[in-house]
Amino acid sequence: MSTAPTGGTGILVTAPGDGGPGDGTPVVEVLGVRHHGPGSARAVRAALERLRPDVVLVEGPADADPLAVLVGDRDLVPPVALLAHVTDEPGTAAFWPFAVFSPEWQALVWAREHGAHVRFCDLPSSSSLVQRTDAEEPAAEPAGGPTDEPTGELADEPTGELADPLGVRRDPLAALAAAGGYDDPERWWEDVVESRSDAPAPFAVLTEAMAELRAVTPALPAVQQLLEDRREAHMRQVLRETLKGGARRVAVVCGAWHAPALSGTLPSAASDARLLRGTPKRRTTLSWVPWTHSRLARASGYGAGITSPGWYHHLFTARDEPVARWLTRVAGVLRAEDLPVSSAHVIEAVRLAETLALLRGRPLPGLAEVTEATRAVLAEGEEALLALVTDRLVVGESMGTVPDGAPTVPLAADLRASAKRLRLAQEPAERALELDLRKDTDAARSRLLHRLRLLGVGWGVPTRSQVRGTGTFREAWRLVWAPELAVAVVEASLWGTTVAAAANAKAVADAADASLPALTGLVEHCLLADLAEALPAVVRAVDDRAALDLDVAHLVAALPALVRAARYRDVRGTSTEALSAVASSLLVRTCAGLPAAVTSLDDAGAAALRAALDDVHAAVALWQDPDADERWSGALAGVSARTDVHGLLSGRATRLLRDTGRLLPAEAAHRLQRALSIGTPAPAQAAWVEGFLGRDGLLLVHDTDLLALLDGWVCSLPEREFTDVLPLLRRTFGAYDRAERRSIGDAVTRRPPAGTTTGAADVDDALALPALRTAAFLLGGPA
């Protein structure tokens, strides 16, 4: 309750249920809650029904009031979150999440249903985002603020590694639980609040307990404490403005930690005004965005994650027989996995959960009891099945929705419309998507997903197709929509108002300072995303950069992506004439610089360049340009013929020439024999073998001459050199799959040992006669 302002002393707010003064004085009740608590949500609904306020104040950014009118829209379905970002710096953003079981959400819904005026009363995001950024210190976790991950913006329990030996500010409910003899604050809260399905939460008792905790808790560091003080001062100022505006009954729904600051004799308005004077501000933009239960289960939103949002949602929505209904849902999950779970199992699990609660002196079974009943009866002790239930039900992956007409940045609206048109649902559950680029709808989906990747919105991730016999006309994606992608969309909105325009602008901007390999990758991305406006500028940048880049490593890294990009002209219908000229120029410069690039390389440098040579060789084969093929083969021939080049490179060049028919098998064998000749150090010989064989061991199965040559070399190695070479050979042959290794082993066992022949003239009859007699005797013949 409250009395009207008296002089300069402020407002006297008394505990709920004390009874009004009976003289027409405005009535104010402060409902201190646990955020995301179904018991608190039910208690708030009951308190509002009893008080019937004409104004409801809810802890939240005060500048979000215009968005409160959307509460009650059938398309605004929790879990959702308020997203605030600095208008000219979208990366500075924060979320205020709401679930259906959040007390604040239920207060908003009640107000809309009963025609009560509703206001958010916390610091505006225009101030809180700036101050929270300033309040972050290297030695402390942020107390909720703009980071890359969603953070708790309405924390009733200040978070962070603070100078507080009791940890009260980190989790004040843990202190209350410890005082009540509980070692688990979640269980304490369930017993005191969550299991109270018929009675309101003890707001007065919680406020009194929090006042005691605040009295003994050390202050925060100065900057963080100033932020908390300003938040509470702003809440009081909004309360004063509401009463001054003529409100007769006011309900304030806030975190329990803040309830004492809004109860009792409040400080004067002048003192709060002085505290708020000088509060920094920046222009911010707010909107509703979808949220998920899994995000509520993380340390995000209201300062601390809740471990069981799916269970809390069930507690709030299942008014009767919550345990039986829950275990029935568990059985459904297990049956979906083809497990034999019957109704008898459910009945037995319910009995076990109720018995455990009785033995532990609990009013109703809680999550601990139903989990143990699930483990013992329904999962039969299998922890993997219990983990499945936890993932599907206890946490869950429910995702909210936002009306199409809700305020948002134009880019987000365009993305939403495009996704709807292409029938791409923004779902939190991972799903695979196979696209056939010959179909118009699938091609449009591919363009959208590639454009979003270019903008840093990772809704889709390319994967390997599961369809056999796929060509360049097929793509496979893994789609997962996470809430934080809403911030990525806001950040990307700086580049344009539509996905296509933003992607084109972003590509041109990226081309300005990208390296040559990154530029050719950007060309490929522009073709995949069909960015016709950006492609000419990016191709010009490639041409200009290639003319000045003297690093052959950059050239060989850049060429494959450029050649692959040209292949998409057949599937996507994109004009790529300019790419051929740029690719030809790159290849000429690569071939000219290759002799110098392969000289004096260490093992790591040679390995990196060998991989690049493989990529360029594959790109030239894909290119199908006779002039390019001739030029590249000549460059490889020069590397293969040299004896002063690292064995990995000369061996690989020899193999590539052999595979394309530019080098006869006999000549390739001769070069292998030369590389394995006496006088060459064993490690150098092994490097040449590794380069020559590469990752294809079947060559040894089909070419018996090469196998004999290699076998003879291994058998001729002295013990010390064999010990030095063995790790290198293991690395080479270890890269083959099991079937290849087995085939090579069979081929070795089928051929005679090195240095022997199978001619009859070489057999010593005197030595063979005893063996022949023994074999004849064993076979039943004469000895």
Side-chain angles (χ1 to χ4, degrees), residues 380-581:
E380 297 182 346
E382 290 289 342
E383 293 298 324
L385 295 181
L386 189 65
L388 175 68
V389 171
T390 299
D391 182 61
R392 299 274 181 87
L393 288 183
V394 178
V395 175
E397 197 51 286
S398 175
M399 184 172 182
T401 61
V402 174
D404 292 340
T408 186
V409 294
L411 180 63
D414 179 67
L415 171 58
R416 188 185 306 164
S418 299
K420 187 175 182 179
R421 184 182 68 254
L422 298 174
R423 299 189 298 279
L424 288 175
Q426 295 174 323
E427 300 171 337
E430 178 180 316
R431 73 183 183 98
L433 180 66
E434 293 277 350
L435 299 178
D436 185 341
L437 301 180
R438 297 169 297 183
K439 300 178 180 179
D440 292 341
T441 299
D442 282 0
R445 289 172 174 174
S446 172
R447 288 193 293 269
L448 176 64
L449 294 174
H450 279 295
R451 289 169 180 176
L452 291 175
R453 281 176 55 81
L454 184 63
L455 291 170
V457 182
W459 181 11
V461 177
T463 60
R464 184 181 296 275
S465 176
Q466 300 300 313
V467 180
R468 284 183 170 272
T470 58
T472 56
F473 58 85
R474 283 201 178 272
E475 281 185 351
W477 293 82
R478 178 175 57 83
L479 301 184
V480 181
W481 183 266
E484 61 268 24
L485 292 179
V487 176
V489 173
V490 171
E491 290 184 283
S493 66
L494 291 175
W495 299 106
T497 57
T498 66
V499 175
N504 275 290
K506 179 73 160 48
V508 173
D510 288 348
D513 55 0
S515 65
L516 183 58
L519 272 175
T520 55
L522 186 59
V523 169
E524 187 175 19
H525 210 146
C526 287
L527 288 169
L528 292 170
D530 192 17
L531 302 180
E533 296 179 13
L535 185 59
V538 177
V539 171
R540 284 196 301 272
V542 172
D543 200 11
D544 295 343
R545 200 69 46 81
L548 300 175
D549 200 323
L550 302 178
D551 192 336
V552 175
H554 286 175
L555 299 176
V556 298
L559 185 62
L562 202 59
V563 174
R564 284 195 306 269
R567 295 291 294 172
Y568 280 91
R569 66 179 182 270
D570 296 330
V571 178
R572 299 173 184 268
T574 305
S575 177
T576 57
E577 288 81 359
L579 297 182
S580 297

Side-chain angles (χ1 to χ4, degrees), residues 298-336:
R298 298 179 56 176
S300 62
Y302 301 103
I306 56 174
T307 59
S308 50
W311 167 252
Y312 280 1
H313 180 87
H314 175 78
L315 281 181
F316 185 78
T317 56
R319 298 303 180 92
D320 62 319
E321 301 292 342
V323 174
R325 293 180 183 276
W326 175 263
L327 291 172
T328 300
R329 293 179 62 195
V330 172
V333 169
L334 297 178
R335 288 190 193 114

Side-chain angles (χ1 to χ4, degrees), residues 82-419:
L82 286 170
L83 167 62
H85 66 274
V86 177
T87 304
D88 57 356
E89 189 180 331
T92 303
F95 295 94
W96 285 260
F98 299 88
V100 70
F101 50 81
S102 300
E104 295 86 355
W105 178 260
Q106 288 303 317
L108 293 171
V109 171
W110 186 94
R112 296 293 295 172
E113 291 174 347
H114 294 80
H117 184 60
V118 64
R119 292 184 62 182
F120 289 108
C121 59
D122 206 345
L123 268 180
S125 63
S126 58
S127 296
S128 63
L129 282 182
V130 180
Q131 293 191 89
R132 290 183 190 280
T133 304
D134 295 340
E136 292 176 3
E137 297 181 3
E141 297 178 4
T147 63
D148 291 337
E149 290 290 332
T151 54
E153 311 309 330
L154 300 180
D156 60 331
E157 308 94 2
T159 60
E161 297 294 337
L162 308 173
D164 176 11
L166 300 177
V168 175
R169 280 191 175 273
R170 185 178 181 87
D171 190 356
L173 295 178
L176 295 181
Y182 287 76
D183 57 358
D184 181 3
E186 291 295 324
R187 173 170 292 185
W188 174 85
W189 189 264
E190 281 185 11
D191 285 356
V192 173
V193 178
E194 307 300 357
S195 297
R196 298 167 61 92
S197 58
D198 299 324
F203 293 120
V205 175
L206 285 175
T207 300
E208 183 180 353
M210 288 295 170
E212 295 297 324
L213 288 175
R214 289 169 65 104
V216 298
T217 302
L220 291 166
V223 177
Q224 293 175 320
Q225 187 62 52
L226 177 61
L227 172 61
E228 290 300 306
D229 291 344
R230 281 176 167 169
R231 290 181 61 196
E232 293 174 348
H234 191 275
M235 293 181 195
R236 292 190 292 265
Q237 290 288 62
V238 173
L239 176 57
R240 293 187 182 97
E241 292 174 9
T242 301
L243 294 172
K244 187 177 180 180
R248 310 309 298 168
R249 290 180 172 272
V250 181
V252 182
V253 181
C254 64
W257 181 263
H258 301 299
L262 305 177
S263 303
T265 302
L266 303 185
S268 66
S271 63
D272 284 340
R274 285 193 300 271
L275 185 60
L276 292 170
R277 189 176 299 126
T279 302
K281 292 183 179 181
R282 295 185 67 179
R283 184 183 176 189
T284 57
T285 303
L286 292 95
S287 59
W288 286 110
V289 296
W291 203 249
T292 64
H293 276 174
S294 63
R295 276 302 185 192
L296 291 171
R298 298 179 56 176
S300 62
Y302 301 103
I306 56 174
T307 59
S308 50
W311 167 252
Y312 280 1
H313 180 87
H314 175 78
L315 281 181
F316 185 78
T317 56
R319 298 303 180 92
D320 62 319
E321 301 292 342
V323 174
R325 293 180 183 276
W326 175 263
L327 291 172
T328 300
R329 293 179 62 195
V330 172
V333 169
L334 297 178
R335 288 190 193 114
E337 300 297 323
D338 294 329
L339 296 171
V341 180
S342 66
S343 57
H345 286 89
V346 177
I347 294 171
E348 193 61 32
V350 172
R351 289 174 177 171
L352 178 56
E354 291 175 345
T355 302
L356 287 172
L358 182 62
L359 291 173
R360 294 168 178 173
R362 307 193 66 182
L364 288 173
L367 181 59
E369 286 72 32
V370 296
T371 298
E372 292 179 31
T374 299
R375 177 189 286 111
V377 179
L378 301 180
E380 297 182 346
E382 290 289 342
E383 293 298 324
L385 295 181
L386 189 65
L388 175 68
V389 171
T390 299
D391 182 61
R392 299 274 181 87
L393 288 183
V394 178
V395 175
E397 197 51 286
S398 175
M399 184 172 182
T401 61
V402 174
D404 292 340
T408 186
V409 294
L411 180 63
D414 179 67
L415 171 58
R416 188 185 306 164
S418 299

Side-chain angles (χ1 to χ4, degrees), residues 586-636:
L586 278 179
L587 183 61
V588 170
R589 294 174 59 80
T590 298
C591 294
L594 192 59
V598 299
T599 305
S600 303
L601 291 177
D602 58 9
D603 292 342
L609 189 54
R610 181 191 66 169
L613 292 181
D614 283 344
D615 291 341
V616 173
H617 187 76
V620 171
L622 184 68
W623 199 350
Q624 297 180 350
D625 183 330
D627 293 338
D629 186 63
E630 188 68 31
R631 185 176 292 110
W632 177 244
S633 296
L636 288 178

